[in-house]
């Protein structure tokens, strides 16, 4: 499968949107890319905000015809997935995550940053590695963002994950 983001390429395009933290613009970037690439959207884990989830925002911002696949895990508590899952008596299992079957382009959006825990041993970066698709890193300008950005790039490079900033 070709995962390059070459607009002239007719192959399916897959891209995992992550960030250097939470509330830095991943959902806005996901909406822009979903619209631009005429893509489907999937957020594997949603923690909190279930009344206006990121999938709901994407559909509202990109149009009702956008296909948004259901989250593998949805939690009430607005916290890291491992904490939200623990509150609900659930353990997030990496083996439960399967890419939605589609011939369309697909934009995936992570929860928080790369090192957000999903359970007692796995982090968001482990899910990205399991799915094995290119990553776009969303960065916001604030004091400390250079450090957070370089640490995130270093973590992606260490795992040999294809990163686009």
């Amino acid at each position: 499968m070709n995962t390059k983001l070459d607009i002239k390429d007719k192959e399916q395009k897959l891209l995992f949107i992550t960030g250097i933290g939470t509330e830095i613009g991943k959902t806005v970037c996901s909406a822009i890319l979903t619209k631009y690439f005429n893509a489907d959207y999937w957020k594997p884990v949603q923690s909190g905000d279930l009344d206006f989830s990121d999938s709901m925002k994407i559909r509202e911002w990109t149009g009702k015809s956008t296909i948004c696949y259901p989250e593998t895990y949805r939690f009430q508590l607005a916290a890291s997935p491992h904490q939200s899952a623990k509150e609900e008596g659930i353990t997030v299992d990496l083996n439960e995550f399967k890419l939605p079957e589609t011939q369309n382009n697909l934009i995936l959006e992570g929860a928080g940053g790369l090192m957000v825990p999903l359970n007692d041993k796995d982090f968001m970066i482990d899910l990205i590695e399991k799915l094995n698709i290119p990553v776009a890193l969303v960065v916001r300008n604030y004091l400390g963002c250079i450090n957070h950005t370089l640490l995130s790039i270093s973590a992606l490079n260490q795992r040999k994950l294809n990163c686009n900033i």
Side-chain angles (χ1 to χ4, degrees):
M1 176 182 308
N2 187 352
T3 56
K4 292 187 327 183
L5 286 175
D6 180 356
I7 197 65
K8 296 173 187 146
D9 185 359
K10 298 297 181 197
E11 294 287 323
Q12 182 187 35
K13 293 151 192 69
L14 305 170
L15 186 63
F16 195 105
I17 309 301
T18 190
I20 60 172
T22 193
E23 297 297 323
I24 52 92
K26 291 185 304 292
T27 305
V28 171
C29 289
S30 293
I32 292 167
L33 293 170
T34 297
K35 188 74 171 172
Y36 182 80
F37 288 111
N38 194 28
D40 296 349
Y41 172 86
W42 181 44
K43 178 144 186 162
V45 180
Q46 177 73 44
S47 282
D49 237 356
L50 297 183
D51 293 330
F52 194 44
S53 69
D54 291 341
S55 295
M56 293 172 181
K57 292 173 188 170
I58 294 292
R59 184 167 282 126
E60 181 177 296
W61 298 342
T62 63
K64 301 290 184 205
S65 63
T66 299
I67 297 171
C68 295
Y69 294 95
E71 301 88 348
T72 302
Y73 292 97
R74 293 173 49 91
F75 302 115
Q76 291 290 330
L77 181 64
S80 65
H82 86 293
Q83 183 62 39
S84 300
K86 186 176 183 180
E87 291 289 322
E88 295 184 26
I90 296 170
T91 301
V92 174
D93 181 354
L94 279 188
N95 294 318
E96 293 295 314
F97 294 99
K98 307 283 187 243
L99 283 172
E101 290 188 26
T102 180
Q103 297 301 311
N104 296 332
N105 300 324
L106 181 64
I107 301 296
L108 293 81
E109 180 183 350
L114 293 169
M115 299 309 291
V116 166
L118 296 172
N119 55 42
D120 289 341
K121 63 180 178 70
D122 297 312
F123 298 88
M124 190 60 61
I125 195 168
D126 295 308
L127 175 59
I128 295 168
E129 189 171 36
K130 177 191 183 314
L131 297 174
N132 192 30
I133 63 173
V135 178
L137 182 63
V138 179
V139 178
R140 184 173 59 109
N141 184 18
Y142 61 87
L143 185 62
C145 72
I146 294 171
N147 181 59
H148 297 152
T149 301
L150 294 175
L151 285 169
S152 295
I153 292 169
S154 177
L156 290 166
N157 287 339
Q158 192 172 33
R159 304 258 187 132
K160 296 180 177 32
L161 296 170
N162 181 8
C163 178
N164 302 287
I165 300 176

